[in-house]
Amino acid sequence: MPFVKYPKATEPLWHEWDRKAQKCGLRHTVYAVNGDQYTGEWLNNLKHGKGTQVWKSTGAIYSGDWKFGKRDGYGSYSIPDPVTKEYKKVYEGWWKNDKRSGPGVVFYSSGERYEGEWSNGLRSGWGQMYYQNGSIYHGQWLSDQPNGQGMLQLANGNRYEGGWKDGKKHGPGKFFYLEKGQLLEGVWAADIPRCGIMIDLGRDEAPAPPLYPIPKV
């Protein structure tokens, strides 16, 4: 009976090449087709762990935590100055699913700054906004606008404490005119006081009190 010799089964070469091409664990810089580059940890061909991404088109840099290919965890995002080319930090804080989420700080190009909570890339929760004109807002945010209860302190020392809706004073609130030593207590709607009472509050110590005191009822 003749003996038939069957050829030994061999694994296609591309299987081995594919295994070698798998990115898993710490890798040196990997360049994308569009010129972006990433240096850091991988898992199953996805950025996962600690790593730094540089976008060629903008020069922006993200350095921090990754999860299954997306920014997730703690990290910082910076962009180069168009004139000096020096890097300026834009955001430092927590991320989830590639968006700002959790406590974080944003530095705006105008010099303004927000410190507080984020959700889905928007200011939401408790936070403080430092405006270019010297005003400071402390309070609640929703969908990138003051919403809920908060205090706006103006550069001249005057302040409003009360309700907010869509970035405007809305609901019961108090406005302190410290330079005049007076207090307006009432109800606001869309940034306008609709009704209320004005009383003297430390008028004698105010730097610029009105000529006549408000009569007591």
Side-chain angles (χ1 to χ4, degrees):
M1 182 177 181
F3 178 76
V4 180
K5 185 177 182 181
Y6 293 97
K8 184 179 180 181
T10 58
E11 187 178 26
L13 288 176
W14 69 268
H15 284 188
E16 179 64 20
W17 297 338
D18 187 59
R19 279 194 296 268
K20 289 182 178 180
Q22 288 285 324
K23 293 183 284 292
C24 205
L26 182 62
R27 281 292 187 94
H28 294 297
T29 303
V30 174
Y31 294 87
V33 176
N34 61 4
D36 295 347
Q37 59 186 68
Y38 172 81
T39 305
E41 297 177 295
W42 297 78
L43 179 64
N44 296 331
N45 280 336
L46 295 174
K47 302 160 192 167
H48 191 88
K50 301 286 185 181
T52 300
Q53 170 91 13
V54 180
W55 287 268
K56 183 180 179 180
S57 60
T58 61
I61 293 179
Y62 169 80
S63 182
D65 296 325
W66 296 79
K67 189 175 181 181
F68 302 121
K70 295 183 178 181
R71 290 169 289 187
D72 201 300
Y74 191 85
S76 63
Y77 179 80
S78 304
I79 59 174
D81 185 274
V83 178
T84 65
K85 305 303 180 182
E86 294 182 357
Y87 276 91
K88 292 185 176 181
K89 190 172 291 184
V90 174
Y91 176 76
E92 183 173 18
W94 292 89
W95 302 72
K96 186 176 180 62
N97 198 29
D98 224 28
K99 294 182 179 180
R100 300 165 186 164
S101 187
V105 182
V106 159
F107 304 89
Y108 297 92
S109 59
S110 60
E112 297 180 339
R113 183 174 84 254
Y114 171 81
E115 301 176 356
E117 296 178 297
W118 296 79
S119 179
N120 202 33
L122 301 175
R123 292 170 289 186
S124 293
W126 282 95
Q128 301 180 93
M129 183 72 191
Y130 299 83
Y131 295 97
Q132 188 178 23
N133 61 10
S135 300
I136 304 173
Y137 172 81
H138 309 258
Q140 294 175 300
W141 294 75
L142 180 65
S143 299
D144 232 26
Q145 296 280 2
N147 271 282
Q149 293 295 308
M151 179 188 76
L152 176 67
Q153 181 175 323
L154 303 178
N156 61 8
N158 294 345
R159 71 179 187 272
Y160 167 82
E161 299 177 3
W164 294 79
K165 183 179 180 182
D166 299 330
K168 296 180 179 180
K169 306 177 191 72
H170 195 88
K174 300 177 181 179
F175 198 101
F176 296 84
Y177 297 90
L178 298 185
E179 82 281 8
K180 295 184 178 298
Q182 294 181 326
L183 165 66
L184 172 61
E185 185 172 0
V187 177
W188 273 255
D191 243 7
I192 300 174
R194 298 298 183 183
C195 62
I197 58 172
M198 181 78 80
I199 62 174
D200 286 327
L201 185 70
R203 178 178 177 276
D204 296 336
E205 296 83 18
L211 291 176
Y212 305 103
I214 297 175
K216 296 182 179 180
V217 178

